[in-house]
């Protein structure tokens, strides 16, 4: 890993240790109950795969004989989720950290600064992950390389993570039927796995956009600190920021360059599509296989909107998680509107290439995407 004078710029082991130490304990379950939950989630993942494939028809568009990578389903605890995501972050951030290493290599005291900075960053990352680790129900993790501890797809990375203690915690909190809720969650997460396995270029496209975003980062430490200080003062109310346009924006949005804002707009559109599509599929399949889906959906939407208290709401805003909630809502509306207009196969043109992905503006105006993609498709066939 990138290092200065032998010291990592991010102490990844310390990040894992910090998150594992700080994360809240999961719900109390007996050993037998834990085994039953794990077995049921694995079974639901297999069942969901068939339902999602039939409903989305995404594999129908693949050429005959095309290779479809098999990806493992990993039922993990909160510490397992942390380790998987640290491995993904480590892979994604390596080019950026290499860039920062080059900038610092000739400066006096670089080795000491790198050693101390790596530990500080490791602790900060661990604190962030400890917050998120108790909230994520499932995830399709695609960037971490395959390893013995973290097996991946037949083509390398990629695995479906189901966070068992969080699923049990939420089903108890909402007082919903456990069997139905677990299947409902698996339908959502299986849709993400289907998106990446049925669309071979999607992973590389997303990684390319993320690397472009990171490549535009202002790597001068003083410049970054200055922007972080402005952001922190904005959220603390220490300065008026209406004239700077920062009000209501997350830390992630404030600490970025103009070039990064363009990339972020494209990434926001893609993430809105992926999250909205998963919600649409979950609701489309749900009534046939999840008897209490209406109750689950209503209670879960209320939970999404309310958060869990003032501190939770503040952190969600600071980290930009409120934007993720908008992605679910706006993306689902986009998918629903397009499917109603041109059917499921017509919607699936969205997966043809990066050029057929919706823009951020088209997510808000689905008719514009239909006009652009379907008119272009019709002209090309004449």
């Amino acid at each position: 890993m990138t290092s200065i004078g032998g010291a990592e710029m991010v102490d990844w082991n310390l990040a894992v240790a910090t998150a594992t130490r700080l994360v809240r304990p999961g719900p109390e379950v007996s050993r037998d109950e834990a085994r039953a939950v794990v077995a049921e989630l694995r079974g639901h993942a297999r069942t969901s795969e068939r339902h999602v494939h039939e409903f989305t028809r995404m594999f129908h568009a693949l050429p005959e004989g095309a290779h479809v990578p098999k990806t493992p389903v990993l039922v993990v605890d909160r510490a397992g989720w942390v380790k998987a995501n640290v491995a993904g972050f480590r892979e994604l951030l390596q080019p950026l950290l290499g860039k920062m290493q080059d900038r610092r290599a000739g400066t006096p005291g670089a080795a000491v600064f790198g050693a101390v900075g790596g530990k500080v960053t490791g602790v900060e990352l661990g604190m962030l992950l400890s917050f998120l680790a108790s909230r994520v129900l499932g995830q399709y993790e695609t960037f971490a390389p395959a390893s013995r501890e973290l097996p991946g797809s037949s083509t390398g990375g990629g695995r479906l993570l189901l966070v068992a203690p969080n699923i049990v915690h939420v089903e108890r909190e909402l007082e919903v039927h456990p069997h139905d809720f677990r299947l409902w969650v698996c339908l959502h997460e299986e849709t993400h796995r289907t998106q990446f396995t049925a669309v071979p270029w999607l992973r590389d496209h997303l990684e390319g956009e993320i690397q472009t975003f990171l490549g535009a980062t202002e790597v001068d430490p003083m410049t970054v600190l200055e922007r972080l200080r402005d952001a922190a003062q904005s959220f603390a109310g220490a300065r008026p920021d209406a004239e700077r346009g920062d009000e209501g924006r997350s830390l992630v949005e404030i600490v970025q360059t103009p070039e990064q804002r363009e990339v972020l707009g494209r990434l926001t559109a893609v993430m809105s599509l992926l999250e909205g599509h998963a919600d649409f599929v979950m609701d489309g399949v749900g009534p046939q296989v999840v008897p209490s889906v209406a109750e689950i959906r209503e209670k879960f939407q209320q939970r999404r909107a309310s958060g869990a208290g003032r501190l939770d709401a503040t952190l969600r805003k600071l980290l930009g998680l409120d934007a993720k909630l908008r992605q679910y809502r706006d993306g689902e509306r986009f998918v629903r509107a397009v499917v109603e207009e041109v059917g499921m196969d017509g919607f699936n043109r969205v997966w043809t290439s990066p050029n057929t992905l919706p823009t951020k503006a088209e997510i808000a105006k689905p008719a514009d995407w239909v006009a652009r993609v379907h008119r272009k498709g019709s002209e090309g066939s004449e």
Side-chain angles (χ1 to χ4, degrees):
M1 190 54 209
T2 303
S3 62
I4 296 178
E8 290 185 327
M9 294 187 65
V10 178
D11 190 328
W12 300 105
N13 291 333
L14 183 57
V16 171
T18 300
T20 302
R21 185 175 68 253
L22 295 179
V23 71
R24 298 173 183 174
E28 292 186 10
V29 295
S30 67
R31 182 169 297 182
D32 288 343
E33 185 179 3
R35 289 197 186 102
V37 170
V38 171
E40 184 172 25
L41 287 173
R42 286 175 176 158
H44 284 333
R46 290 190 295 270
T47 301
S48 297
E49 184 174 12
R50 174 171 54 84
H51 290 309
V52 171
H53 289 187
E54 290 176 356
F55 184 82
T56 64
R57 300 173 56 84
M58 289 181 66
F59 286 96
H60 292 201
L62 289 178
E64 187 174 350
H67 172 69
V68 178
K70 295 295 183 182
T71 55
V73 176
L74 307 181
V75 181
V76 298
D77 58 11
R78 290 168 178 175
W81 180 88
V82 167
K83 291 175 184 176
N85 277 268
V86 165
F89 286 148
R90 188 170 186 165
E91 185 75 9
L92 279 175
L93 292 177
Q94 190 165 2
L96 173 63
L97 297 182
K99 199 174 171 184
M100 294 181 72
Q101 179 193 21
D102 292 341
R103 287 291 290 267
R104 290 184 188 172
T107 61
V112 174
F113 184 80
V116 175
K119 292 190 179 301
V120 170
T121 307
V123 170
E124 291 173 341
L125 178 59
M127 292 173 66
L128 168 62
L129 290 172
S130 72
F131 170 76
L132 296 174
S134 62
R135 287 157 176 77
V136 176
L137 301 182
Q139 173 189 358
Y140 185 77
E141 202 297 311
T142 184
F143 296 115
S147 66
R148 186 172 62 180
E149 291 187 352
L150 195 65
S153 74
S154 55
T155 57
R159 70 282 300 162
L160 180 62
L161 305 177
L162 298 171
V163 191
N166 295 349
I167 294 172
V168 172
H169 171 77
V170 173
E171 70 191 27
R172 290 179 179 179
E173 178 186 320
L174 299 182
E175 297 181 339
V176 293
H177 192 285
H179 173 86
D180 287 2
F181 183 75
R182 294 167 193 174
L183 178 55
W184 188 73
V185 170
C186 287
L187 288 170
H188 182 101
E189 302 308 332
E190 175 56 41
T191 304
H192 287 317
R193 180 164 65 159
T194 298
Q195 290 162 349
F196 282 90
T197 53
V199 185
W201 52 264
L202 183 57
R203 180 197 180 279
D204 289 342
H205 173 71
L206 269 181
E207 184 175 15
E209 291 282 57
I210 292 170
Q211 292 303 337
T212 300
F213 181 90
L214 295 175
T217 300
E218 295 170 338
V219 294
D220 176 67
M222 291 309 297
T223 302
V224 173
L225 286 175
E226 212 171 279
R227 294 172 72 84
L228 283 168
R229 193 177 303 115
D230 285 347
Q233 290 175 354
S234 169
F235 281 99
R239 65 173 177 80
D241 46 29
E243 70 273 15
R244 297 189 55 163
D246 290 344
E247 188 171 8
R249 294 163 62 195
S250 72
L251 181 60
V252 174
E253 291 174 306
I254 293 172
V255 187
Q256 61 179 278
T257 65
E259 293 82 2
Q260 286 176 308
R261 291 192 184 101
E262 292 184 13
V263 180
L264 188 64
R266 297 196 297 269
L267 280 170
T268 298
V270 175
M271 297 311 298
S272 296
L273 170 68
L274 298 181
E275 297 293 359
H277 182 236
D279 267 12
F280 177 80
V281 173
M282 183 169 60
D283 288 347
V285 175
Q288 284 75 48
V289 297
V290 182
S292 60
V293 64
E295 177 192 1
I296 291 174
R297 185 64 158 150
E298 181 181 359
K299 289 183 175 181
F300 195 77
Q301 287 288 66
Q302 291 173 355
R303 182 181 185 275
R304 267 184 184 172
S306 64
R310 176 178 293 183
L311 176 61
D312 186 76
T314 300
L315 287 170
R316 281 156 56 105
K317 184 178 184 66
L318 184 65
L319 297 173
L321 300 182
D322 284 341
K324 186 174 179 65
L325 300 183
R326 291 196 297 273
Q327 290 171 7
Y328 285 110
R329 182 191 65 226
D330 297 344
E332 196 274 340
R333 288 175 180 170
F334 170 84
V335 176
R336 186 172 301 280
V338 172
V339 171
E340 288 177 354
E341 179 70 20
V342 296
M344 186 64 76
D345 290 336
F347 164 79
N348 280 339
R349 285 197 187 182
V350 78
W351 312 115
T352 304
S353 76
N355 293 330
T356 56
L357 291 172
T359 64
K360 190 175 179 181
E362 288 171 340
I363 288 288
K365 295 184 178 180
D368 290 352
W369 180 87
V370 172
R372 175 174 68 87
V373 173
H374 283 265
R375 180 175 62 244
K376 183 180 294 186
S378 298
E379 290 172 354
S381 62
E382 289 177 357

